[in-house]
Amino acid sequence: MTVCASAAALRRTFLGIALASLAAAAACAEVVADNSACRNLEYKDGSVERAKYLPCAAEMIATLEDLDRQSKAALDGDAQARAQGQAALRRLRGLVSAAGGRQLLERWPDRPLTDLNLDISNALTKYEAFYMLGPVDASSRFARESRAAATAEYEGGNRRYEEAKRLFRRLN
């Protein structure tokens, strides 16, 4: 094989790897619907008007509800629920990103909306930690510790979700 032929083969290999990586990244990214209330929110003075933001928050709360339900079943060992919970987690990340991402963590003049955003963000973080732990392997010598860690992360996510849901209901 000549140097030119091996260089061409190497380029094809790298191109194949790059295309496969892009395809994998696209499969993992959650697309937010074009008609989502979280798209194109108009920020003024560092925040969004309550009336314009609450429909987006409703989408996040509904996604958190699904995420919580699937996570509880996943904690009990349901593999299908675990996959669906991970999909709900990606949806929630997408909604948060579309709504402004880190801007949601800024202090808004409407303090209850700031509190709501913090509860949603904290729930998201706890559910992310839950899914990072992976399924509990009952045959592992660390099964008890793994189960306790997964339970703690799930309960933390559930607690923050419930706080966000209560606050959201008061704001409507």
Side-chain angles (χ1 to χ4, degrees), residues 59-109:
E59 287 182 42
M60 290 185 211
I61 295 296
T63 303
L64 271 168
E65 181 177 0
D66 182 38
L67 176 57
D68 184 70
R69 184 177 53 257
Q70 300 300 340
S71 299
K72 175 63 175 144
L75 181 64
D76 294 336
D78 185 331
Q80 180 64 31
R82 183 171 193 79
Q84 291 172 343
Q86 289 170 321
L89 184 60
R90 287 190 300 275
R91 278 194 312 275
L92 182 59
R93 279 191 207 117
L95 290 171
V96 167
S97 179
R102 295 197 56 81
Q103 286 181 314
L104 299 179
L105 300 177
E106 298 295 324
R107 186 167 296 212
W108 290 8

Side-chain angles (χ1 to χ4, degrees), residues 53-54 56-58 60-61 64 104-105 108 110-123 160-161 163-169 171:
Y53 183 69
L54 286 179
C56 172
M60 290 185 211
I61 295 296
L64 271 168
L104 299 179
L105 300 177
W108 290 8
D110 189 334
R111 183 64 186 187
L113 287 184
T114 299
D115 293 342
L116 176 63
N117 289 339
L118 290 174
D119 285 339
I120 290 169
S121 178
N122 288 333
R160 293 308 237 174
Y161 154 63
E163 289 172 12
K165 185 171 67 172
R166 276 191 296 278
L167 181 54
F168 177 76
R169 285 181 180 157
L171 291 173

Side-chain angles (χ1 to χ4, degrees), residues 19-81:
L19 290 174
S21 297
L22 285 173
C28 291
E30 185 63 38
V31 176
V32 176
D34 288 337
N35 64 350
S36 171
C38 294
R39 284 201 175 276
N40 304 315
L41 289 173
E42 189 175 323
Y43 278 79
K44 291 182 182 172
D45 300 322
S47 67
V48 179
E49 289 179 37
R50 183 182 287 200
K52 293 183 180 182
Y53 183 69
L54 286 179
C56 172
E59 287 182 42
M60 290 185 211
I61 295 296
T63 303
L64 271 168
E65 181 177 0
D66 182 38
L67 176 57
D68 184 70
R69 184 177 53 257
Q70 300 300 340
S71 299
K72 175 63 175 144
L75 181 64
D76 294 336
D78 185 331
Q80 180 64 31

